[in-house]
Amino acid sequence: MSFKSIMPIFYSKYRRRISCIFFLIQLIGASKGNERKVQLSRLSPKIAFGIEATIEHGSSSPYETLNDEKIKQCLQQAFTDSLGLVVVRWKPALDRRLNKDEFLALCEAFGQVEYETAVDGSFERLVDNDARIHEFSVAPSSRTTMTTVQFDGEKPSWHTDQSFRKPRPEASLLYCLNTPANGVGQTLFASTVLSANELHPKVLEYLRTTVARHSYSTLRTNLQNLSTSVDASVLTGDTDRFADYPLYNGDALDLAPHVIARVSGLDNEQSKRLVHALVRFATAPKFVYAHVWNVDDTVLWSNHRLMHAATPVTTLPSNRLMWRTTFAKMNHPDQRNIGNCVFPPPTITAEWFDDYNAAWSSLTPPQQFDSNKDSRYRQIEDLVTYLTELGG
């Protein structure tokens, strides 16, 4: 009897066992392919803030992965531990862009997405008329030239998103659909937590009780002055919008040099000198991370703990395309439900600060601040000098 002739008899006799074996093989393969986790690592050994969260999605779709509660918890924990900056990437790399539903699932893993119907000019539009997703090509501030990451009094255009609102967005997120090659159009991030921690307690106490007015009208005027290539008429928001915030919020410096109209207790010139000195200090290279964009990168940052700035995109029109959301409130992880996170080594912040203690320990900060105008003017000049020496 040939082999071919006995196969039907063999299969008929052991059909159930064979089917069961094949089912188990498929189940094991599917289980291995669908294993999902988030690998967390430091963005750079040279900076003490920021986490890269790599989503290992196996054979699962992005939407399935982002609706996994443990994956959501991992992403929330990454933001909590990052001092305000998370870069999300995928492994294996996606073979297509996230669609709208997948993008919103990613955003909603982090927090409550805002509905914001206002758009500013031709470089911004709503995606499918959905006020949660704003699409950007090239923002006006990226059309200006710059030679350094450290604020020079005009550039880069360091800011926090929509600081003229009260309450402002807690965080913002950009997703890269397309970007120029060779590192063009990087986004800079400066940790105002780290810079605040380097200031003398007497200075922080003064900044905590000193209020700055953030004004949309001031933003519009200053954006026009940044470059002759920028037409302020592209900004179409409410010019009467403003909000008041202290220069130090107890955790981080709160700065936006092109949006701050004035500082309490100071005239316009003093206000400008103080704010610019603070921003120059807070954007020293040791506080700054420069993100080089790749397609499918997602970057989330806190508007309470970071400033950010665009860098030049020289080719107009360019192939730069981003989706942005802002957040009214962030989600906080449930520590009991984190099982699929692979955490980075303990924070290096304490060690990092030790390296820079000498930068300010020998300097003498202003001793006190009072309401006398002449005395206050001298003290502001002393503070500006102190910040200049500290920041270089």
Side-chain angles (χ1 to χ4, degrees), residues 152-330:
D152 67 5
E154 286 189 346
K155 298 169 285 190
S157 180
W158 288 102
H159 64 285
T160 58
D161 282 342
Q162 302 175 39
S163 63
F164 48 79
R165 287 174 43 193
K166 197 173 185 75
R168 73 178 73 179
E170 280 201 22
S172 303
L173 179 148
L174 279 178
Y175 170 62
C176 180
L177 292 98
N178 212 350
T179 186
N182 302 318
V184 173
Q186 298 177 27
T187 302
L188 308 176
F189 297 92
S191 173
T192 50
V193 174
L194 298 182
S195 52
N197 273 275
E198 207 168 304
L199 291 176
H200 194 281
K202 289 181 181 292
V203 174
L204 290 178
E205 180 59 24
Y206 166 69
L207 298 176
R208 188 184 64 80
T209 57
T210 302
V211 174
R213 170 152 295 185
H214 296 242
S215 161
Y216 187 94
S217 178
T218 300
L219 169 64
R220 182 175 174 137
T221 299
N222 285 329
L223 188 59
Q224 177 69 66
N225 293 336
L226 272 176
S227 171
T228 55
S229 67
V230 177
D231 180 5
S233 65
V234 301
L235 293 179
T236 56
D238 181 358
T239 56
D240 292 330
R241 294 182 79 174
F242 67 87
D244 296 335
Y245 296 102
L247 289 169
Y248 174 61
N249 61 26
D251 176 51
L253 299 175
D254 197 340
L255 303 168
H258 298 303
V259 185
I260 292 176
R262 62 180 184 272
V263 174
S264 60
L266 306 181
D267 61 31
N268 289 342
E269 183 59 28
Q270 288 177 308
S271 296
K272 182 177 179 180
R273 282 178 59 74
L274 175 58
V275 170
H276 284 198
L278 282 166
V279 176
R280 180 168 176 78
F281 161 68
T283 56
K286 63 188 177 186
F287 301 131
V288 174
Y289 165 74
H291 185 71
V292 179
W293 286 97
N294 295 297
V295 171
D296 279 326
D297 278 1
T298 300
V299 179
L300 170 72
W301 66 92
S302 167
N303 284 313
H304 296 291
R305 312 185 87 185
L306 295 170
M307 287 187 292
H308 65 282
T311 60
V313 178
T314 54
T315 304
L316 294 176
S318 79
N319 60 344
R320 182 181 179 88
L321 196 63
M322 302 280 187
W323 283 355
R324 189 200 74 186
T325 53
T326 54
F327 295 83
K329 185 178 180 181
M330 304 308 291

Side-chain angles (χ1 to χ4, degrees), residues 41-68:
S41 59
R42 294 287 165 192
L43 275 178
S44 167
K46 297 181 179 179
I47 59 171
F49 69 100
I51 284 179
E52 179 177 305
T54 301
I55 301 176
E56 299 183 8
H57 58 99
S59 61
S60 300
S61 70
Y63 191 78
E64 289 174 326
T65 303
L66 293 167
N67 278 283
D68 183 326

